[in-house]
């Protein structure tokens, strides 16, 4: 499997129905992982592996099936300590080339989940990987040992919420 940087584009028009599926297997290099780390403010991104096949399923419509694996480390939202997460994502995406013919697009049902309308025939693998990782990574990572409640600037002292009202009443 080859290691590559995030400059890969695929011309979908080069994939025809009469051809076997286009296989894509790659591992992101260190620079590409660093780019993703900075983009999403992760502590670390590593071992990003994409394995997929792309085939044309109808006029101006392609299907991508496969999986994406990545190891990411983020800051815990409570303690700011590192939280590791392994992403193992099954991919099933459809891409429809935007054309003047609305009947073809209606036939494919672009409102269905996992259907993306493309303005050009180029599939940007860089943005594809970034979007998948950005969406699938834990939004609010938290260590299992972190408390469910955390009182900022109060030294963990639980105070009666009506204590201020009681002092005003006196």
């Amino acid at each position: 499997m080859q290691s590559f940087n995030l400059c890969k584009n695929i011309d979908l028009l080069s994939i025809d129905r009469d051809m076997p599926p286009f296989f894509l297997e790659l591992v992101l290099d260190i620079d590409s992982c660093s780019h993703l780390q900075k983009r999403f403010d992760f502590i670390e991104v590593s071992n990003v592996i994409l394995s997929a096949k792309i085939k044309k399923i109808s006029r101006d419509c392609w299907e991508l099936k496969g999986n994406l694996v990545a190891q990411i480390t983020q800051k815990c939202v409570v303690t700011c300590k590192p939280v590791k997460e392994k992403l193992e994502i099954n991919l099933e995406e459809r891409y429809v080339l935007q054309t003047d013919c609305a009947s073809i697009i209606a036939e494919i049902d672009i409102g269905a989940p996992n259907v993306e309308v493309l303005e050009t025939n180029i599939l940007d693998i860089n943005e594809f990987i970034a979007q998948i990782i950005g969406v699938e990574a834990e939004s609010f990572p938290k260590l299992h040992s972190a408390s469910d409640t955390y009182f900022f600037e109060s030294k963990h002292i639980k105070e009666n919420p009506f204590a201020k009202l009681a002092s005003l009443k006196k």
Side-chain angles (χ1 to χ4, degrees):
M1 202 174 309
Q2 65 183 9
S3 179
F4 93 110
N5 61 15
L6 285 175
C7 298
K8 183 101 171 138
N9 291 322
I10 297 174
D11 182 358
L12 293 175
L13 292 178
S14 67
I15 303 170
D16 198 24
R17 285 181 95 174
D18 300 331
M19 299 171 52
F22 176 80
F23 286 96
L24 182 63
E25 291 190 9
L26 50 96
V27 177
L28 290 191
D29 64 11
I30 294 170
D31 292 336
S32 299
C33 289
S34 177
H35 173 75
L36 290 174
Q37 172 192 343
K38 290 174 189 167
R39 178 173 174 175
F40 296 112
D41 196 27
F42 293 153
I43 295 172
E44 182 182 20
V45 176
S46 62
N47 301 324
V48 180
I49 302 170
L50 174 66
S51 177
K53 67 178 182 176
I54 303 171
K55 67 178 182 176
K56 188 170 188 175
I57 57 174
S58 70
R59 182 175 171 202
D60 294 333
C61 182
W62 294 264
E63 181 178 65
L64 180 144
K65 285 187 177 183
N67 59 48
L68 177 71
V69 177
Q71 179 70 44
I72 62 172
T73 305
Q74 302 182 67
K75 292 179 188 173
C76 173
V77 294
V78 176
T79 64
C80 291
K81 292 181 180 177
V83 178
K84 290 188 176 192
E85 178 181 9
K86 183 168 184 170
L87 300 176
E88 295 180 357
I89 307 155
N90 289 323
L91 304 169
E92 189 170 340
E93 307 282 333
R94 287 193 177 174
Y95 297 95
V96 178
L97 187 60
Q98 185 174 2
T99 62
D100 295 332
C101 186
S103 64
I104 295 172
I105 292 177
E107 178 184 318
I108 297 169
D109 186 16
I110 61 169
N114 300 327
V115 176
E116 185 172 338
V117 178
L118 299 174
E119 294 179 6
T120 69
N121 56 309
I122 303 299
L123 178 61
D124 183 354
I125 297 299
N126 171 13
E127 191 58 27
F128 171 73
I129 292 173
Q131 285 180 12
I132 296 294
I133 290 176
V135 168
E136 295 291 332
E138 180 63 48
S139 301
F140 299 98
K142 192 176 112 186
L143 289 171
H144 295 294
S145 61
S147 172
D148 286 337
T149 57
Y150 190 79
F151 298 95
F152 293 96
E153 299 179 24
S154 68
K155 309 264 192 236
H156 303 289
I157 299 170
K158 291 186 180 180
E159 190 175 286
N160 182 347
F162 300 105
K164 294 276 186 198
L165 291 174
S167 67
L168 291 174
K169 189 177 178 183
K170 291 182 182 178

